[in-house]
């Protein structure tokens, strides 16, 4: 049985429809990320699950308990849903110490004094915050505040923990460390987590499953590998990873392969949804999949080097092919002029 | 980890049973608010439609009262005077307040931080006291008039004319404009101005084409506000209009009793309805304009560090202008009162040393009524002020983070008293206490005064409370909800502790306005309910100048104690 089930959820602000029929499940011990551009409804979905937004149709179940049902007018308020939510801003109460921030959920549940002390201390120790119990939030660093917010949401063992952009308030370097730490913590504590993020790298690294939202609908869902390597739609392909786009015409489709013709190229790629012979098509390939070749050959095209950028561990080269621009990685600088680029058939998707 | 991995602790279940009761405090708050706001007002309207006071045995429903006042030429001249004074003071206060705000917020004017609290003084001192100050300082035998006569051989001003009243009202209302214009300028980040400068505009062009247009909504709002306050004026025309017989609407109403010799409540009510009919549209207009001000506040740039514009050789002109205003609006009336409180009499050929006396204060402290007035005023400000803030906070919580119909009703309820001058609310409460027998025993207690004060300042107080509440980020409350706290508990344990400094500041501000208030108490004044403000009106009518001077000085001192504490604790004197 899933810990969390969302069925056909609709939500609007005034006339503005934010969620247009979203469905998802979250199983025990699973981390699911809600990914999408801003305005796609991912935070709204999270807040609807928490009970902070009221949908107008659909159902939300936590375990087997219905917490929202638009048809039956069931709407258990946020305080009755027994979930843990970590806010993007952390939302620590500035007038309470770290201890009191974390203890509040237990006090609301009428735990005894000793039990509260014991559980809060265990939670703080777990997150290496034991020595900060008497501090106030403003005396903590950003990373420490984030961990207090986590401890506050975890201490009463909610069946599902909701994370709203948990890493976005940390600076770039700290964020990668925190990402690894958070993933490890979730695994070790066997938490079931629903996590909102707009950063595809974060979603890939953190989750067992990704839900990509687009304009209030789920565009595609799957494991990080599926999302990255087998996108079903152009939107998914474009959103995940760094990409090159080649517009052209689909000349032929044969055995799941499509031939894309354009200004200065004629390439075979994997045919995807939407590609039809004789119609316009878009070819898409990840930057890291383009190989710089020595000469002409199968599935290669000639391109003029425009400029090169040094990234530290590699070079990024910018080429022009007709009106289109292609970017590719290389291990060494290239001479100015014309070069041959190979776009492997299985990595070149035609939509 | 083992200790955390215990089974889930569900939220305490018994609270669900109490869920039905959760709405009770809110409903009670809304009903009580509606009662205290609407009861006095409906009584005024009802009374205005009767042909005699409501307690008379013989009365009939009709528009006799309106017919009477509309046929009275004094009413029309009072109306015209009110409109003229309101327009005049708007024309004076708005440009001056705007310039003052620009000088204080955007330029390197010397000693700004010290001068700023002084600029607000006229808005903290009772208009009754200020007007009295002008009489003793600049009236025919005032201190400055005597001085001027010595220097120039005559007094180059006449204090009791309509234009003089408009000028004085205009000058003393400059702070009201200054407050709105300067906070608009403060919110206006330098970035929008710098963008214009980088694009090639001179500082002068920047002010004309960027800064001023961006604070236009605030200036427009304050213009409507000043006009509205002009229609409400009572103390100033009472003191300064009397000698030459100039009436405005509020003094016309006040003098109706004298005119007819009998309690003509139905006529007073009809005048009151006319005043409210003028002010309600203005209040609604203000509300619209204020939303406009806020809208602008979100468009323009980030409020960053503000770079000061060097005044250069204009500095001395600015200093002279601000100094002159401070002299006329603050120093003249206040020194007048301070001097008058310590002399037996004043006139040509009287020297300060000869006339010096402490007798005025002896007189105040030997008169039980005056002593009670001082004690009551202090109690009303401190204990009453705290209770008032508690009531306002309860109303604030009734609408906090709730966007339903009830909240909108409360929004309007709170706005209504804003449109009714304190004089009228006091009158209406007098009637309420007379009309409802169960309330009669409260009539001669300070409670009646407290209730009227609390209703009069409802809109002002709610602005203070809601600006505190708005500073609490939504997420802090949502965090408590997701953890399992119900609404009442969040209010008590999260929101209330977070706004405690704001509430303390509100208490101090309410203390100051309660010390300053005078018109609300005029009709509620009775043995047991004496307050300084209303006592001053009554004593002034009786011509007891010596006592008025001493009590006025005591009143000013009380306000200044509040001001000093507020400044000490860094309370923002404006919202």
């Amino acid at each position: 049985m899933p810990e969390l089930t969302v069925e056909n959820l609709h939500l609007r602000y005034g006339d503005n429809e934010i969620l247009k029929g979203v469905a998802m499940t979250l199983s025990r011990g699973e981390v699911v990320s809600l990914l999408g551009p801003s305005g796609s409804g991912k935070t709204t979905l999270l807040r609807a699950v928490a009970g902070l937004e009221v949908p107008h149709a659909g159902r939300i179940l936590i375990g087997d308990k219905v917490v929202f049902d638009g048809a039956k007018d069931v709407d258990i308020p946020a305080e009755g849903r027994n979930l843990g939510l970590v806010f993007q801003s952390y939302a620590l109460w500035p007038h309470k110490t770290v201890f009191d921030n974390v203890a509040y959920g237990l006090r609301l549940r009428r735990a005894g004094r000793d039990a509260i002390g014991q559980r809060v201390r265990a939670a703080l120790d777990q997150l290496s915050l034991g020595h900060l119990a008497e501090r106030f939030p403003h005396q903590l660093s950003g990373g420490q505040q984030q961990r207090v917010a986590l401890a506050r949401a975890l201490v009463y063992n909610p069946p599902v923990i909701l994370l709203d952009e948990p890493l976005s308030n940390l600076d770039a370097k700290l964020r990668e460390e925190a990402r690894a730490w958070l993933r490890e913590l979730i695994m070790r504590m066997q938490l079931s987590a629903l996590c909102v993020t707009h950063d595809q790298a974060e979603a890939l690294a953190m989750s067992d499953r990704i839900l990509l939202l687009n304009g209030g609908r789920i565009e595609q869902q799957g494991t990080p590998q599926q999302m990255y390597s087998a996108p079903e739609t152009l939107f998914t392909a474009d959103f995940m990873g760094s990409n090159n786009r080649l517009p052209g015409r689909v000349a032929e489709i044969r055995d799941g392969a499509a031939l894309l013709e354009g200004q200065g190229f004629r390439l075979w790629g994997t045919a995807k949804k939407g590609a039809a012979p004789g119609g316009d098509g878009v070819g898409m390939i990840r930057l890291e999949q383009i190989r710089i070749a020595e000469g002409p050959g199968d599935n290669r095209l000639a391109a003029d080097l425009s400029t090169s950028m040094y990234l530290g561990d590699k070079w990024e080269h910018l080429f022009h092919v007709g009106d289109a621009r292609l970017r590719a990685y290389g291990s060494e600088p290239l001479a100015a002029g014309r070069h041959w680029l190979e776009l492997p058939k299985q990595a070149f998707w035609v939509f | 980890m083992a200790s955390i991995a215990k089974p889930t602790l569900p939220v305490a279940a018994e609270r669900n049973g109490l869920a039905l009761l959760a709405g009770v405090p809110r409903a009670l708050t809304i009903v009580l608010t509606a009662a205290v706001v609407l009861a006095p007002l409906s009584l005024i309207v009802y009374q205005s439609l009767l042909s005699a006071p409501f307690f008379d045995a013989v009365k009939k429903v009709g528009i006799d009262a309106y017919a009477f006042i509309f046929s009275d030429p004094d009413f029309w001249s009072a109306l015209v005077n009110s409109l003229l004074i309101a327009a005049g003071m708007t024309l004076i206060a708005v440009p001056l307040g705007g310039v003052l705000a620009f000088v204080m917020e955007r330029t390197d004017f010397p000693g700004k931080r010290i001068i700023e609290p002084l600029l607000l003084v006229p808005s903290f001192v009772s208009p009754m006291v200020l007007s009295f100050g002008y009489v003793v300082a600049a009236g025919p035998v005032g201190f400055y008039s005597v001085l001027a006569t010595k220097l120039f051989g005559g007094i180059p001003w006449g204090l009791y004319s309509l234009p003089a009243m408009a000028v004085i009202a205009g000058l003393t209302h400059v702070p009201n404009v200054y407050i709105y214009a300067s906070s608009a300028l403060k919110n206006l980040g330098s970035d929008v101005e710098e963008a214009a400068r980088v694009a090639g505009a001179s500082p002068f062009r920047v002010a004309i084409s960027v800064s001023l247009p961006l604070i236009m909504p605030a200036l427009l709002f304050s213009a409507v506000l000043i006009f509205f306050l002009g229609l409400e004026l009572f103390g100033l025309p009472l003191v300064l209009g009397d000698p030459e017989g100039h009436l405005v609407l509020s003094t016309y109403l006040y003098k109706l009793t004298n005119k007819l010799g009998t309690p003509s409540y139905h006529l007073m009510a009809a005048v009151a309805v006319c005043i409210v009919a003028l002010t309600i549209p203005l209040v609604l207009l203000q509300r619209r304009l204020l939303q406009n001000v806020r809208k602008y506040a979100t468009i323009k740039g980030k409020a960053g560090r503000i770079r000061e514009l060097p005044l250069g050789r204009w500095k001395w002109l600015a200093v002279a202008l601000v100094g002159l205003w401070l002299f006329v609006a603050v120093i003249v009336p206040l020194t007048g009162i301070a001097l008058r409180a310590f002399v037996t009499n004043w006139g040509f050929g009287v020297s300060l040393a000869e006339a010096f006396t402490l007798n005025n204060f002896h007189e105040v402290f030997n008169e039980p009524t005056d002593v009670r007035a001082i004690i009551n005023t202090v109690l009303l400000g401190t204990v009453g002020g705290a209770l008032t803030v508690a009531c306002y906070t309860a109303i604030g919580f009734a609408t906090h983070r709730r966007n339903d119909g009830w909240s909108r009703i409360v929004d309007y309820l709170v706005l209504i008293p804003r449109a009714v001058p304190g004089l009228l609310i006091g009158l209406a409460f007098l009637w309420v206490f007379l009309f409802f027998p169960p309330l009669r025993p409260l009539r001669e207690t300070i409670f009646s005064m407290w209730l009227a004060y609390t209703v009069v300042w409802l809109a002002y107080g709610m602005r203070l409370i809601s600006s505190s509440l708005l500073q609490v980020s939504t997420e802090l409350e949502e965090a408590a909800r997701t953890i399992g706290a119900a609404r009442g508990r969040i209010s008590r344990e999260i929101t209330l502790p977070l706004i405690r400094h704001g509430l303390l500041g509100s208490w101090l501000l309410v203390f100051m306005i309660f010390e300053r208030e005078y018109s609300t108490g005029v009709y509620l004044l009775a043995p047991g309910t004496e307050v300084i403000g209303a006592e001053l009106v009554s004593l002034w009518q009786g011509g007891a100048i010596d006592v008025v001077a001493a009590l006025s000085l005591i009143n000013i001192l009380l306000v200044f104690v509040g001001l000093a504490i507020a400044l000490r604790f860094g309370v923002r004197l404006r919202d």
Side-chain angles (χ1 to χ4, degrees):
Chain A
M1 184 188 64
E3 291 283 353
L4 172 70
T5 313
V6 173
E7 294 169 1
N8 191 30
L9 206 65
H10 289 262
L11 189 148
R12 57 174 171 236
Y13 300 138
D15 291 334
N16 190 8
E17 188 130 36
I18 309 291
L19 298 178
K20 302 168 185 163
V22 175
M24 61 158 293
T25 58
L26 175 68
S27 309
R28 190 173 179 79
E30 194 182 30
V31 184
V32 171
S33 284
L34 300 173
L35 181 65
S38 59
S40 61
K42 54 192 191 303
T43 299
T44 309
L45 175 56
L46 187 92
R47 288 173 59 86
V49 168
L52 298 172
E53 305 284 346
V54 185
H56 67 271
R59 294 212 308 162
I60 302 172
L61 289 86
I62 294 167
D64 55 359
K65 185 179 165 202
V66 179
V67 294
F68 176 82
D69 188 336
K72 289 188 190 142
D73 223 12
V74 176
D75 183 15
I76 295 188
E79 58 267 29
R81 296 195 181 186
N82 199 33
L83 296 170
L85 173 55
V86 178
F87 286 81
Q88 181 173 11
S89 65
Y90 313 140
L92 298 179
W93 300 304
H95 63 298
K96 290 177 185 280
T97 60
V98 167
F99 184 93
D100 288 330
N101 260 282
V102 177
Y104 193 57
L106 296 173
R107 294 205 173 109
L108 290 170
R109 285 164 180 75
R110 315 251 160 119
R113 250 184 90 83
D114 296 341
I116 290 177
Q118 201 185 338
R119 291 184 67 143
V120 171
R121 219 150 282 132
L124 291 178
D125 286 343
Q126 178 67 30
L127 301 174
S128 335
L129 291 165
H131 59 296
L132 301 173
E134 296 315 314
R135 298 263 186 100
F136 282 93
H138 68 268
Q139 296 167 313
L140 306 179
S141 71
Q144 289 166 339
Q145 288 182 19
Q146 189 224 19
R147 280 182 281 153
V148 175
L150 253 170
R152 187 175 71 179
L154 292 178
V155 72
Y156 49 91
N157 282 307
V160 175
I161 176 156
L162 310 171
L163 305 158
D164 186 7
E165 306 254 4
L167 304 174
S168 66
N169 265 348
L170 302 175
D171 50 49
K173 211 161 167 58
L174 202 58
R175 203 179 305 166
E176 280 185 30
E177 285 171 32
R179 187 165 83 190
W181 173 85
L182 189 57
R183 168 83 189 164
E184 197 183 11
L185 179 87
I186 292 174
M187 291 299 103
R188 194 172 32 156
M189 292 180 66
Q190 296 226 313
L191 300 173
S192 316
L194 184 63
C195 176
V196 161
T197 176
H198 66 272
D199 179 347
Q200 46 104 4
E202 198 173 294
L204 290 172
M206 293 266 304
S207 12
D208 299 311
R209 213 143 47 78
I210 294 174
L211 265 70
L212 181 64
L213 276 95
N214 180 21
R217 290 200 174 80
I218 292 180
E219 182 80 16
Q220 187 179 341
Q221 57 174 310
T223 64
Q225 295 91 317
Q226 284 167 345
M227 297 296 283
Y228 192 81
S229 312
E232 286 161 10
T233 63
L234 180 62
F235 179 85
T236 308
D238 202 20
F239 196 84
M240 314 290 300
S242 314
N243 301 291
N244 288 302
R245 255 171 187 264
L246 274 178
R249 279 185 79 76
V250 181
E252 193 185 338
I253 291 191
R254 190 201 306 151
D255 304 333
L259 178 64
L260 189 73
E261 288 181 344
Q263 253 187 326
F265 66 90
R266 199 179 135 83
L267 299 163
W268 280 99
T270 312
K272 291 278 182 183
K273 209 159 74 184
D280 287 333
V282 177
M284 184 158 284
I285 185 165
R286 306 264 188 242
L287 258 63
E288 70 271 16
Q289 296 287 355
I290 295 190
R291 203 170 67 78
I292 296 158
E294 293 75 41
D298 216 21
N299 246 25
R300 290 182 186 176
L301 56 77
D304 296 315
L305 183 67
S306 164
T307 185
S308 295
M309 294 174 286
Y310 182 55
L311 302 182
D313 54 343
K314 58 189 174 239
W315 289 81
E316 184 180 324
H317 305 293
L318 180 62
F319 299 96
H320 283 240
V321 183
D323 291 338
R325 295 151 82 229
L326 285 179
R327 291 182 294 150
Y329 294 132
S331 52
E332 49 212 53
L334 290 178
R338 177 154 290 205
H339 293 271
W340 288 94
L341 303 177
E342 184 176 319
L343 282 66
K345 192 171 145 189
Q346 76 288 350
F348 182 59
W349 304 312
V350 179
F351 292 95
Chain B
M1 191 64 307
S3 57
I4 290 192
K6 276 181 189 161
T8 298
L9 281 178
V11 189
E14 73 251 48
R15 240 179 324 106
N16 296 343
L18 291 174
L20 283 175
L21 290 175
V24 171
R26 183 185 190 217
L28 205 64
T29 308
I30 296 175
V31 168
L32 277 177
T33 309
V36 297
V37 169
L38 297 179
L41 278 178
S42 4
L43 200 51
I44 290 186
V45 176
Y46 169 63
Q47 172 67 82
S48 77
L49 294 169
L50 296 178
S51 60
F54 60 81
F55 48 79
D56 266 18
V58 187
K59 60 183 182 238
K60 61 179 174 41
V61 176
I63 53 163
D64 296 8
Y66 292 95
F68 179 89
I69 60 163
F70 288 155
S71 64
D72 181 2
D74 281 357
F75 171 78
W76 294 107
S77 91
L79 177 64
V80 170
N81 287 349
S82 272
L83 293 173
L84 284 177
I85 291 180
M89 69 190 268
T90 308
L91 288 177
I92 292 166
V94 174
L96 262 180
V99 168
L100 203 58
F102 188 80
V103 166
M104 296 296 287
E105 291 299 332
R106 281 297 199 254
T107 69
D108 60 347
F109 188 81
K112 284 192 292 194
R113 294 302 133 228
I114 301 162
I115 293 176
E116 220 218 332
L118 276 180
L119 296 182
L120 299 176
V121 164
S123 64
F124 286 121
V125 177
S126 156
M128 189 66 201
V129 170
L130 275 181
S131 314
F132 173 68
Y134 279 109
V135 170
V136 295
V141 288
F143 297 99
Y144 291 90
S145 311
V146 170
L147 200 65
T149 314
K150 274 184 198 154
L151 292 176
F152 314 115
I155 309 168
W157 61 77
L159 193 63
Y160 301 137
S161 64
L162 271 188
M165 275 193 266
V167 168
I168 287 175
L171 292 180
T172 51
H173 281 83
V174 163
N176 302 66
V177 180
Y178 169 76
I179 283 172
Y180 286 99
S182 76
S183 52
L185 279 172
K186 211 179 278 235
N187 286 332
L188 186 72
S190 300
D191 50 356
V192 287
E193 292 176 341
E194 279 165 3
R197 292 195 69 174
V198 171
S202 66
F204 177 72
R205 272 300 289 276
V206 172
I208 295 297
S209 58
V210 178
S211 319
L212 284 176
L214 279 174
I215 67 159
M216 255 343 254
L219 289 179
L220 199 61
F221 169 80
S222 23
V224 176
L225 175 74
I226 298 296
F227 189 81
F228 163 81
L229 292 174
L231 293 181
E232 275 199 357
L233 284 183
F234 174 62
L236 191 105
L238 182 70
V239 173
L240 299 182
D242 216 21
E244 292 185 8
H246 298 295
L247 287 177
V248 297
L249 284 177
S250 57
T251 48
Y252 172 75
L253 183 149
Y254 181 66
K255 304 256 173 177
L256 264 179
T257 315
N258 300 5
K259 188 169 179 164
L260 299 173
T262 50
S264 41
Y265 284 173
H266 53 302
L267 301 182
M268 292 161 90
V271 180
V273 169
C274 292
I275 295 178
V276 174
L278 285 176
T279 50
I280 279 195
L282 287 173
V283 165
L284 293 176
L285 182 60
Q286 280 179 54
R287 188 183 162 87
R288 290 281 301 262
L289 291 173
L290 196 62
Q291 281 160 354
N292 231 351
V293 174
R294 304 238 163 87
K295 206 156 66 199
Y296 265 67
T298 54
I299 311 173
K300 37 108 198 132
K302 213 162 62 178
R305 199 168 60 91
I306 287 160
R307 293 179 70 90
E308 295 180 341
L309 186 78
L311 277 170
R313 59 208 173 84
W314 295 99
K315 185 178 280 179
W316 299 113
L317 181 70
V319 169
L321 190 76
V322 174
L324 185 67
W325 176 75
L326 270 179
F327 179 74
V328 176
V330 179
I331 295 170
V332 165
L334 293 194
T335 50
I337 287 168
L339 283 173
R340 188 60 188 79
F342 290 101
V343 294
T344 47
N345 64 329
W346 189 252
F348 295 98
V350 182
S351 85
L352 272 181
E354 279 171 34
F356 178 83
T357 180
L358 288 175
N359 202 36
N360 302 339
F361 291 93
H362 282 297
E363 223 175 299
V364 166
F365 287 110
N366 285 329
E367 172 58 51
T369 328
D370 295 340
V371 175
R372 269 206 305 277
I374 296 170
I375 294 172
N376 280 344
T377 307
V378 172
L379 281 178
L380 209 54
T382 50
V383 182
L387 285 174
T388 299
V389 170
C391 292
Y392 293 166
T393 309
I395 300 172
F397 273 114
T399 58
H400 182 52
R401 309 262 191 248
R402 297 199 205 225
N403 248 332
D404 55 5
W406 292 109
S407 293
R408 248 159 296 152
I409 290 176
V410 173
D411 276 353
Y412 278 99
L413 277 180
V414 161
L415 206 63
I416 293 172
R418 185 75 199 82
V420 189
L423 185 71
L424 303 187
I425 290 191
L427 179 62
F429 269 107
L430 172 70
W431 293 344
V432 168
F433 283 108
L434 291 176
F435 199 54
F436 299 107
L439 293 177
R440 253 177 225 158
L442 294 172
R443 158 79 189 93
E444 293 193 356
T445 63
I446 193 74
F447 173 81
S448 61
M449 208 54 108
W450 172 81
L451 187 61
Y453 275 37
T454 303
V455 171
V456 167
W457 292 98
L458 187 59
Y460 172 84
M462 290 312 298
R463 263 214 320 276
L464 298 178
I465 302 292
S466 48
S467 74
S468 293
L469 281 173
L470 282 177
Q471 279 166 19
V472 177
S473 130
T474 330
E475 296 199 333
L476 292 176
E477 290 161 333
E478 286 177 349
R481 284 192 72 191
T482 55
I483 276 175
R487 210 180 263 278
R489 210 147 169 189
I490 298 174
S491 300
R492 282 197 310 279
E493 293 177 4
I494 305 294
T495 317
L496 203 55
L498 285 173
I499 61 167
R500 60 186 192 273
H501 293 293
L503 293 184
L504 216 60
S506 308
W507 184 25
L508 275 164
L509 291 172
V510 166
F511 170 82
M512 278 189 276
I513 57 172
F514 276 18
E515 299 308 295
R516 166 187 184 275
E517 180 58 59
Y518 66 102
S519 61
T520 305
V522 166
Y523 287 109
L524 287 170
L525 198 64
T529 68
E530 298 92 342
V531 287
I532 296 178
E535 200 63 32
L536 284 176
V537 176
S538 148
L539 287 167
W540 171 260
Q541 291 301 101
I545 301 269
D546 295 341
V547 182
V548 169
L551 261 187
S552 293
L553 190 64
I554 291 168
N555 191 227
I556 294 173
L557 288 179
L558 285 174
V559 172
F560 276 44
V561 166
L563 191 61
I565 297 174
L567 288 174
R568 167 71 188 75
F569 286 101
V571 172
R572 287 172 62 204
L573 294 178
R574 40 206 251 195
D575 50 3

